[in-house]
Structure formats: C-alpha cells, structure tokens
Amino acid sequence: MTQYGRVEKVRLLVVDDDPPIADLVATVARYEGWDAVTANTGEEALRLAGEFHPDIVVLDLMLPGVDGFGVLDRLRRSGTMVPVVFLTARDGVADRVAGLTRGGDDYLVKPFAVEELMARLRTVLRRSAGPNFQRSVLRVGDLSMDEDTHEVRHGEKLLTLTPTEYEVLRFLLRKSPTVMTKAQILDHVWEYGFGGRSNVVELVVSRLRRKLDDAGDTGAPLIQTVRGFGYVIRQAGG
Amino acid sequence: MTQYGRVEKVRLLVVDDDPPIADLVATVARYEGWDAVTANTGEEALRLAGEFHPDIVVLDLMLPGVDGFGVLDRLRRSGTMVPVVFLTARDGVADRVAGLTRGGDDYLVKPFAVEELMARLRTVLRRSAGPNFQRSVLRVGDLSMDEDTHEVRHGEKLLTLTPTEYEVLRFLLRKSPTVMTKAQILDHVWEYGFGGRSNVVELVVSRLRRKLDDAGDTGAPLIQTVRGFGYVIRQAGG
DNA sequence: CGGTGGCTGTCGAGAACCTGTCGGACTGCT
DNA sequence: AGCAGTCCGACAGGTTCTCGACAGCCACCG
C-alpha cells in the first residue's frame, strides 16, 4: 500500500541535541517503514539536509550553536521547501513559534506523545503533496475516524471523544487488527516520560467502550480485551 | 474540482527581496494547489515572467536595483497584461500605488495576513478572467458569505461583521469541515509577526457566535469547539 | 485639533470539562 | 476457592473555554 500517494519510503531528518529523543523519533519512524536519520547539532543538520534530501524534518528549536531558527533560515535560504515540524519547550520560545504553521509547517510542545508527532508528520506530508490530497479516514467495521474533521462515527452515530480517548482510539485503529499491549499504548499515546504506571489505559478504554457501545451496539464490544496481552479493535467475528 | 473556472493550476510569480516572505507566499499558494515561483530581484522577476508566464504576480515595491515600479513598467511594455498585486510598507509609497490599481490590480500593506492576500489574489484572478466571472459564495448549512459583496447571511438575516470577524469566519468556511487549531487560525488570519499569545481567537469566535446565534439559531452553535484541538464550522447534525 | 464611536486585544473570573488516582467489584483461569 | 488481571464508579485537581469589562487605538467628523 502506498502512503500519501508516494511509492518510495518517506525520508525523515530528525534534529535534536538530546540523542535519546532523536533516536526515539527515528526508531518509531523506521518502524512505520520510513527512512530516518538523526542530527544532534545545527551544522550536522544542514549537512545532512544537503546529502540526505529529506521529505520532512523534525527540528528542535533549542539547539546549541546554530539554533533551530537559524537552521530553518539556512534551509530556506538554500532553496529547500521541505516541510518542518518544530519541537519546543512549553514555556520556552512558544511566542516566537507563532507564525510557523502558516507555511504549512507545524509544531509540537515537548514533551510530546510519539503518536501525535507521527500523526502531524503524516498530515503535513499529505498536505504538502498538493491540493488533491485525500482525506485520511480510518475504518474498521462500522467504526470510522476522519483525521481531518475529527469526526468519529459508529454506524450513523456521531461520537464525542475527549483528546485522550481520540488518541487511544486512533492508535488502536491504526494498528488494527494487531493486539497492542497496555505498555505499548502508554508509550505511544502518552507523552514520553509519563510517570503514571497506573491503570490509565484500562480506564480510557473503559470510557471509550461506554461511548462506543452506547451508540447502539449489541454484540461483542468493538475494543476487545486479550487477557494477559492487551487490546485490539477487530471486526466483529474476526 | 476546477478553480475560478480554469482547469490548469494557477501560475503565480512572487517577487520580494526578502526570501522568507517570498517563500511564505509561495508555500501558501502551493497549498492551494497553485504553481508558484519566487524571484528576489527585479531582473530575476523579469526573466521569470518571460519563462514562466504567470497568471498573476505578487510584487513588492521595495526592491533593490530595478524597483517595483520599474518591473511593472517593463512588464507592461513587453505587452503582458498579467494582473499584479502589490506589496508595500505601511508608510511607504501608498499614494503612488493608488494610481496603479486601476487595471483590476490590487495592493496590500505589509505586514499582511496570509489569508487576506490569498483572498485578494483569488478576486483579482476572477475579475481578470473576463466579464463572465462568477461570484464566489461560500456556504455551509444556512450560512452564506459572498466574497464579492461581503454580505454574510445566516438564513435570511443579514449579519454585520467587523473585519476580523469576517476574516476568521471566511477562513473557517473555506476550510470547513476540517478542524482548524487556534494556532492555524492565528497564523493565517492575523498579520505575520503578530505577537499576541493570548486568547484573541477564542474571543473573536465568541463574538462571532453571538452574532450568528442571535440571528435566530437555536440548536447547536454553528462554530463548534473541538476541545483540545480547535474550531470547525460544520453542518448541524453532520 | 479635540471629540466620538467603533474595533481589537488584555485581563480575569467563572464554568465546563478532562484526567489520573483510589479502591472495590468482577472475571476467567487454574 | 484463590489469584492475577480487568473493569469502572467516584472524586479532586487541573486545564481549557467562554465571555464580561475595560483601555488603547484609529478613523472619521465637526
């Protein structure tokens, strides 16, 4: 299956001075089938941008030496229109970031959730592909999620989900019909470094189920428990 | 879907000596599905005009070397009737510009808001397409906005909106039914370089809602909040 | 020039809503 | 029956959203 209308792998450049973070992002991207390289300094980033020709860049704004804005500037000056998704601390340069989504770029506040970053990257890629970009709709059985309009329907019924519920459901839909463990869900949907080793996931699934099943379902629950492993969304009977 | 009655992509030439600005405009235009090229000097602009045959030109009047007026002059001398939208500093040459907008051209003061620029470009294009140009009316549900007459109606009721309200509403209508984040709205509707890290967007939406809903609406508000994400205009029940 | 009125953005309080923790009930397996 | 794993009600703290009040600004007018 081709993604975003392209045949080759997406090429991603991750720029972050914190190697664990850069690697985390690169790893997840590779797991999605992308080509990913990392840079830990602005200089390296610029060099790699020239050699690697990424389709998209993840750029931390807090860099030693040439900072994120400098890198962006030089990137643009060299004529690359490659879309960028910025990372920034919550309090940090938030104000200076304003104005960055205009050029089609996007930004995310640290600490972020891996799935959310991937979702934004996909969106930015999809949109930068041109005007004829397609809606992204995830479907399993009679459940559908439109990632652009944020509409989630179960059959005819329109559901209202909270942000967390939405993210968990998206993750499960995206991975369906693979079983995801609670740890995996936690690691992807919650911010990295989230402390709560609790039963949040169960809770959110529980709340999700209530909303899904209130929507007129009768048979097996849409989100199934695989005891001892985790959760799946599977077509009924599947 | 054809835009402005044409089948091929609109071809835009952006002339500005400030590369970030030129790229900004080009990027936004590409997102709309246009073909865009940039020039940073008058000479380059003239060369590109000859090769690229743009349908419309965005021209900064403050250029080093051959200035904006010179470029325009030579363009016209070479027989091109391509419509032009000028950019100028606030205090700058506003009076001299006034005389130039006769031929269906237009101008905008820097710093401008991206959406407003795009709106003017669309208008100029439509007009230059000839006498049989079509009105551009945005509609969602019983809400309609005529971009030529600036009339906004909710059902029968004619609304009076302030400029900011109008722009925000237009942006939401144009993007409907996609959810726009507050950052996106801020970035597109406010001038680039706007610092306000506040709740302006929420405020304007609030004021808009009051006007929309005073107009005899009863059910769900037309502008819906997607908590944690942003705002959408969506057909009721949809 | 000073006055008037409309438009915009800031502030802040209150409302609405979301989220994680706790703990008790429940389930399925052995 | 016993146990680990799961489910979910209730609650408190925190976050996000809404909107009234107000002040600066600008355009227009006398």
Side-chain angles (χ1 to χ4, degrees):
Chain A
M1 197 193 308
T2 67
Q3 282 180 309
Y4 327 112
R6 60 174 80 228
V7 178
E8 304 136 41
K9 289 172 160 189
V10 173
R11 303 166 73 81
L12 167 70
L13 167 61
V14 186
V15 188
D16 197 308
D17 61 311
D18 191 10
I21 302 287
D23 290 341
L24 170 67
V25 175
T27 305
V28 175
R30 289 194 192 105
Y31 197 76
E32 293 260 315
W34 296 11
D35 252 355
V37 297
T38 62
N40 299 124
T41 66
E43 287 76 10
E44 203 183 345
L46 288 165
R47 187 174 56 72
L48 277 175
E51 295 172 3
F52 181 69
H53 297 295
D55 299 308
I56 189 164
V57 176
V58 169
L59 178 56
D60 186 6
L61 287 174
M62 269 346 196
L63 289 174
V66 193
D67 82 337
F69 291 105
V71 173
L72 174 66
D73 220 53
R74 294 218 235 151
L75 266 182
R76 293 293 184 243
R77 233 170 262 275
S78 72
T80 16
M81 296 297 293
V82 56
V84 176
V85 171
F86 305 92
L87 300 180
T88 154
R90 181 166 301 281
D91 49 348
V93 281
D95 42 339
R96 289 177 64 202
V97 175
L100 291 179
T101 78
R102 239 179 339 230
D105 301 334
D106 200 352
Y107 71 95
L108 218 56
V109 167
K110 276 186 175 188
F112 52 87
V114 177
E115 274 310 299
E116 206 188 336
L117 175 60
M118 291 307 295
R120 305 240 188 157
L121 292 178
R122 282 184 225 110
T123 302
V124 167
L125 272 177
R126 216 155 24 92
R127 290 216 259 255
S128 70
N132 42 354
F133 77 96
Q134 301 179 18
R135 284 273 189 75
S136 167
V137 180
L138 303 172
R139 264 181 227 288
V140 172
D142 56 352
L143 183 66
S144 71
M145 167 181 284
D146 185 317
E147 291 189 89
D148 294 302
T149 66
H150 263 256
E151 280 180 351
V152 179
R153 319 189 96 96
H154 183 202
E156 286 304 297
K157 177 100 176 182
L158 186 63
L159 307 182
T160 310
L161 305 183
T162 70
T164 311
E165 289 162 4
Y166 183 88
E167 294 292 335
V168 169
L169 185 60
R170 169 161 68 185
F171 185 61
L172 290 177
L173 280 174
R174 207 160 248 294
K175 300 300 183 186
S176 172
T178 304
V179 179
M180 290 289 120
T181 68
K182 279 182 266 191
Q184 284 173 316
I185 298 173
L186 205 57
D187 285 350
H188 283 79
V189 174
W190 270 260
E191 302 169 347
Y192 62 85
F194 176 71
R197 306 270 116 227
S198 61
N199 58 350
V200 243
V201 177
E202 295 173 11
L203 223 219
V204 174
V205 168
S206 153
R207 303 214 244 240
L208 264 174
R209 284 214 263 241
R210 185 180 325 163
K211 290 186 180 179
L212 294 179
D213 298 354
D214 271 7
D217 195 45
T218 42
L222 261 168
I223 302 180
Q224 294 172 24
T225 303
V226 181
R227 199 157 229 271
F229 286 95
Y231 300 99
V232 221
I233 289 195
R234 243 198 305 249
Q235 183 104 238
Chain B
M1 198 192 306
T2 67
Q3 283 179 310
Y4 325 111
R6 59 174 80 227
V7 178
E8 305 135 42
K9 290 172 160 190
V10 173
R11 304 166 73 79
L12 167 70
L13 167 60
V14 185
V15 188
D16 197 307
D17 62 310
D18 191 9
I21 301 289
D23 288 341
L24 170 66
V25 175
T27 305
V28 174
R30 290 196 188 106
Y31 268 56
E32 294 263 317
W34 297 11
D35 251 355
V37 297
T38 61
N40 299 127
T41 66
E43 286 77 11
E44 203 183 345
L46 288 164
R47 187 174 56 73
L48 277 174
E51 295 173 3
F52 181 69
H53 297 295
D55 300 309
I56 188 165
V57 176
V58 169
L59 178 56
D60 186 7
L61 287 175
M62 281 325 208
L63 289 174
V66 192
D67 81 338
F69 294 105
V71 172
L72 176 65
D73 225 51
R74 293 218 236 151
L75 266 182
R76 292 292 183 245
R77 227 176 275 270
S78 73
T80 16
M81 294 303 294
V82 57
V84 176
V85 171
F86 306 96
L87 299 181
T88 152
R90 182 165 303 280
D91 50 349
V93 282
D95 41 340
R96 286 177 67 200
V97 175
L100 293 176
T101 65
R102 261 176 300 215
D105 301 336
D106 200 353
Y107 77 96
L108 219 55
V109 166
K110 280 186 176 187
F112 51 87
V114 174
E115 278 308 300
E116 204 187 337
L117 174 61
M118 290 308 296
R120 305 240 188 156
L121 292 180
R122 283 184 224 109
T123 302
V124 168
L125 267 179
R126 259 180 314 117
R127 281 202 293 244
S128 73
N132 47 349
F133 78 96
Q134 296 180 22
R135 282 278 185 73
S136 167
V137 180
L138 303 172
R139 263 180 228 288
V140 172
D142 57 351
L143 182 68
S144 71
M145 166 182 284
D146 185 317
E147 290 190 273
D148 294 302
T149 64
H150 265 242
E151 276 181 359
V152 180
R153 314 191 100 94
H154 184 202
E156 286 304 298
K157 177 103 176 180
L158 186 63
L159 307 182
T160 310
L161 304 183
T162 70
T164 311
E165 289 163 2
Y166 182 86
E167 292 293 333
V168 170
L169 185 60
R170 169 162 67 188
F171 185 62
L172 289 177
L173 280 174
R174 208 160 243 296
K175 300 299 182 184
S176 173
T178 301
V179 178
M180 290 290 121
T181 67
K182 278 179 270 189
Q184 285 173 318
I185 298 172
L186 201 62
D187 282 354
H188 284 81
V189 173
W190 271 259
E191 301 169 347
Y192 61 86
F194 176 73
R197 309 269 83 250
S198 61
N199 57 351
V200 240
V201 176
E202 295 170 7
L203 223 219
V204 174
V205 167
S206 157
R207 304 214 245 240
L208 264 174
R209 281 213 264 241
R210 188 179 324 164
K211 290 187 180 178
L212 294 178
D213 297 355
D214 271 9
D217 196 45
T218 43
L222 261 168
I223 302 180
Q224 292 174 23
T225 304
V226 181
R227 201 161 230 268
F229 288 95
Y231 297 100
V232 220
I233 290 194
R234 243 196 305 247
Q235 182 102 242

